[in-house]
Amino acid sequence: MNKTVFALTPPFTQLNTPYPATAYIKGFLNTKNITCYHADLGIEVILALFSQSGLKDLFEFINKKEAVFSENSQRIIALQDDYIQTIDAVILFLQGKNPTLSLVICQDNFLPEASRFAQLDDLDWAFGSMGMQDKAKHLATLFLEDISDLIMECVDPNFGFSRYAERLGRSANSFDELYSILQQEYSYIDKLLISILEKRMQEVSPKMVAISVPFPGNLYSAFRIGQWIKKYFPHVKVAMGGGFANTELRSLSDVRVFEFFDFITLDDGEAPIENLVQHIEGNRTVEQLKRTFTLIDNKVAYINNSLTKDYKQSEVGTPDYSDLLLDKYISVIEIVNPMHRMWSDGRWNKLTMAHGCYWGKCTFCDISLDYIKIYEPIAANLLCNRMEEMIAQTGENGFHFVDEAAPPALMRALALEIIRRKLTVTWWTNIRFEKSFSRDLCLLLRASGCIAVSGGLEVASDRLLELIQKGVTVAQVAQVTRNFTEAGIMVHAYLMYGFPTQTAQETVDSLEMVRQMFEIGTLQSGFWHQFAMTAHSPVGLYPEQFGVLKENNNIGTFANNDIVHIDPKGANHEAFSYGLKKSLLNFMHGICFDYPLQEWFDFKIPRTKVPKNYIENALLEEEDFILKPSSKIVWLGKKPLVNYSNSTKKGQSFTHANLVFHDKKEVFNLKLNQIQGDWLVDILDKISTKNEKVYTLQEIKNNYEAAGLEDFELFWYNKPVISLRDYGLLAL
């Protein structure tokens, strides 16, 4: 093979599914007839390490060390033969290729057990609700985590399943530490990585290697890859892009970085990559590159040729997952929680509904950067076309839409298109908890295959939500999460502590809000993270407006995104970290709701001021079925069977239409006079989701009156039509 571009994801991101950046780039390059091969070196390193031969080498390496290890590591080393014997079968099981192994894994004497299994005493209750496959998957995950603990203690302290040497990429204003470590000998993991990279480079023989670095935990490996290629394949150009560069390297000035890379691109990668290919092939000068750092006259130069336009989302092609080892990803269950597991269990095709964020106001977010600021949705029919292409290519019908926040109107259009095309898919995405997510919209989304949403509740305090400019209140979030939950869609909340000026009282009250939402069942999963002040957010750009101070105004020569700040009005935010996370873990398992909040902290906290039934009261408010004329009305159900009957009242004969509706679970009947019954059958057929046209309430009223019928509102808001709401009549 002689590919032009070799797109790489360095170790490590996810075990269960590939990070989508290289698939997006390959899909785009396909539209330009530029050959591209791509690989996820993270999963390849994991599979090499977690194999019989890999563990034999690992234990041999450890056994040669003259060191005193912890009791836990000593136990694993003593049981090394058992780990080596079982590892291949366990990996096959986690790849979905050996399902019958679950019966053996769940027996007491199959997997060797070290410290990770100690938590099982606390989780025995959960196995009653878990199936055999899930229980075995969780036990197998603990087995892998025990080995990971051994690697971190005895081999490489930087190891982690979804990150590697992450500390080196976090807030690295100076390149000094990372540069110094890159001059040292290869680590054990480095050697595995380089051995795989060498084979891939010989197979692919590229002109350019494009390395995607989405997170700080990919950065070190990216530099190791660039370093090795520059030494052994000096004629190959090396470029870096991705989320880390987009946020952290916008003011890059350290020339030493370009000992490892020839180019670093920012933001949307399509046009910059195409330009680089043209440049490497001699068809474009360096001055004509787009959003690209490179070295000119031994100085870092940023080139952004404004004459080169970015591509619209309709032009970037369908993500292409070919080349990736799709059948070898490993599904794990780290936490026994049906929503939380979705990040680590199952293979998901990744797509984007809309570029950027339609809201674009949150003050903690990098809303000044193009990847957030430039909002461009994709038409629902084009999204469905891409979904069908990806199903045909990957054999998977699960989709994770990786939007900043999926727009409700587009989610509605996508759901209708999925249902109209009769696609059988499951999908989930990230949202804002805004009031557009009514009961009926949530039911429509569920009918289309939506199984979960994640969204930012952030700080569960109305004062701070207003300061964040989230555009929601806690009560509104509770109502929206109720709508999703009652529709059968799981909800995950991103939670934040430490926002500027947040007091201890507000932190405790926020926790109480979250406790109530879990107890009442409107949240199924969550994650607390501490506020980080970033350079491109409103808080980072104008800290004085938010009552905080930058520790200094120095601009580093390497990464510049996370800003150390001083919050003179706020609480000691770090102190709350452990208690918030421990309480949430228990709430996610459905326990400890009756614990006093003080129980989670080893220091005195203020009593909550939130009434015990605050969330319950917020949920008492029911949505009205009084609709606007512009409301879109759809029917999810089947066409009813109709039979007629006659009756006589006061000497007059009446004909009734008996409408018999069948859904997947039951049969129900409506009895109307013949004229209204016939009209209802006809209009239900017109507003069925099988049709492309979506009718408004006003159009339905006009149709009703054109049929010579009277008192539309009296008919529409009467018991027969209202009862259809329980069976698929939706107002959107």
Side-chain angles (χ1 to χ4, degrees), residues 61 140 205 255 257 265 313 366 412 478 489-490 543 573 612 639 644 649 673 685:
F61 178 81
S205 187
V255 297
V257 171
T265 68
Q313 293 303 295
D366 292 338
R412 179 186 69 202
I489 296 173
M490 295 182 290
H573 305 305
K612 286 288 183 188
K639 188 172 183 176
Y644 299 98
K649 188 175 182 180
N673 70 54
D685 190 55

Side-chain angles (χ1 to χ4, degrees), residues 133-362:
Q133 290 286 320
D134 284 353
K135 178 179 177 181
K137 202 177 282 188
H138 182 57
L139 294 173
T141 303
L142 300 178
F143 167 81
L144 294 185
E145 288 176 337
D146 274 335
I147 302 172
S148 174
D149 291 343
L150 175 78
I151 295 169
M152 290 175 70
E153 181 185 344
C154 305
V155 177
D156 190 338
N158 290 314
F159 181 76
F161 282 124
S162 60
R163 60 191 63 86
Y164 185 58
E166 183 178 48
R167 178 188 61 81
L168 296 173
R170 286 201 176 279
S171 305
N173 297 88
S174 167
F175 188 48
D176 289 348
E177 184 182 8
L178 181 54
Y179 186 76
S180 174
I181 289 173
L182 289 164
Q183 308 314 308
Q184 296 173 12
E185 290 289 319
Y186 285 156
S187 71
Y188 189 90
I189 303 298
D190 290 341
K191 291 175 183 176
L192 266 180
L193 167 63
I194 296 303
S195 68
I196 293 168
L197 175 64
E198 184 174 8
K199 291 175 189 171
R200 294 286 172 268
M201 287 293 291
Q202 289 169 352
E203 291 168 1
V204 179
S205 187
K207 294 179 181 177
M208 180 174 78
V209 173
I211 304 174
S212 174
V213 183
F215 309 114
N218 303 93
L219 186 70
Y220 168 80
S221 292
F223 272 87
R224 275 301 193 201
I225 291 168
Q227 181 184 47
W228 186 86
I229 293 173
K230 297 294 287 178
K231 181 175 180 180
Y232 293 101
F233 289 80
H235 60 283
V236 175
K237 298 298 182 183
V238 185
M240 184 222 286
F244 183 87
N246 297 345
T247 54
E248 299 279 352
L249 301 184
R250 305 190 79 88
S251 54
L252 176 66
S253 62
D254 195 317
V255 297
R256 294 174 297 173
V257 171
F258 293 90
E259 295 174 23
F260 306 84
F261 300 98
D262 297 288
F263 309 102
I264 294 178
T265 68
L266 300 183
D267 300 330
D268 293 354
E270 290 84 6
I273 284 270
E274 183 187 21
N275 285 2
L276 281 176
V277 171
Q278 292 168 351
H279 172 62
I280 289 166
E281 293 180 342
N283 299 322
R284 182 178 287 265
T285 67
V286 71
E287 293 80 15
Q288 292 175 311
L289 297 177
K290 186 172 183 68
R291 288 197 302 273
T292 301
F293 286 104
T294 191
L295 218 53
I296 297 178
D297 296 330
N298 205 37
K299 289 185 179 177
V300 179
Y302 181 64
I303 303 156
N304 188 13
N305 176 19
S306 59
L307 296 177
T308 302
K309 300 297 183 188
D310 276 305
Y311 287 92
K312 294 193 175 299
Q313 293 303 295
S314 60
E315 302 169 329
V316 298
T318 301
D320 185 346
Y321 283 88
S322 60
D323 307 331
L324 298 179
L325 309 177
L326 295 183
D327 62 336
K328 294 190 177 178
Y329 282 84
I330 302 167
S331 287
V332 295
I333 298 180
E334 300 162 282
I335 296 177
V336 186
N337 175 285
M339 172 72 206
H340 210 82
R341 65 188 280 182
M342 292 179 65
W343 280 270
S344 63
D345 184 23
R347 250 267 310 126
W348 300 97
N349 296 318
K350 308 266 186 171
L351 265 177
T352 308
M353 289 191 210
H355 180 285
C357 180
Y358 71 95
W359 179 248
K361 297 178 184 177
C362 297

Side-chain angles (χ1 to χ4, degrees), residues 357-402:
C357 180
Y358 71 95
W359 179 248
K361 297 178 184 177
C362 297
T363 54
F364 63 84
C365 185
D366 292 338
I367 58 175
S368 67
L369 298 183
D370 285 352
Y371 83 95
I372 300 284
K373 183 171 63 176
I374 298 175
Y375 171 65
E376 184 195 347
I378 303 173
N381 64 339
L382 179 55
L383 274 172
C384 273
N385 290 343
R386 290 179 179 173
M387 291 171 76
E388 290 181 319
E389 285 181 52
M390 293 172 75
I391 291 169
Q393 181 193 104
T394 67
E396 301 281 354
N397 66 353
F399 289 85
H400 180 196
F401 291 96
V402 292

Side-chain angles (χ1 to χ4, degrees), residues 411-434:
M411 290 175 71
R412 179 186 69 202
L414 176 63
L416 288 169
E417 186 69 9
I418 288 171
I419 294 168
R420 189 181 68 79
R421 294 194 191 193
K422 296 183 168 61
L423 294 182
T424 301
V425 294
T426 53
W427 61 276
W428 56 298
T429 191
N430 195 47
I431 62 160
R432 281 182 65 246
F433 291 121
E434 61 164 82

Side-chain angles (χ1 to χ4, degrees), residues 545-573:
Q545 295 181 14
F546 296 88
V548 290
L549 306 166
K550 291 183 182 179
E551 192 169 79
N552 61 64
N553 288 307
N554 297 341
I555 296 177
T557 58
F558 186 53
N560 286 287
N561 191 42
D562 285 2
I563 299 172
V564 179
H565 65 284
I566 301 162
D567 184 1
K569 297 180 182 177
N572 175 8
H573 305 305

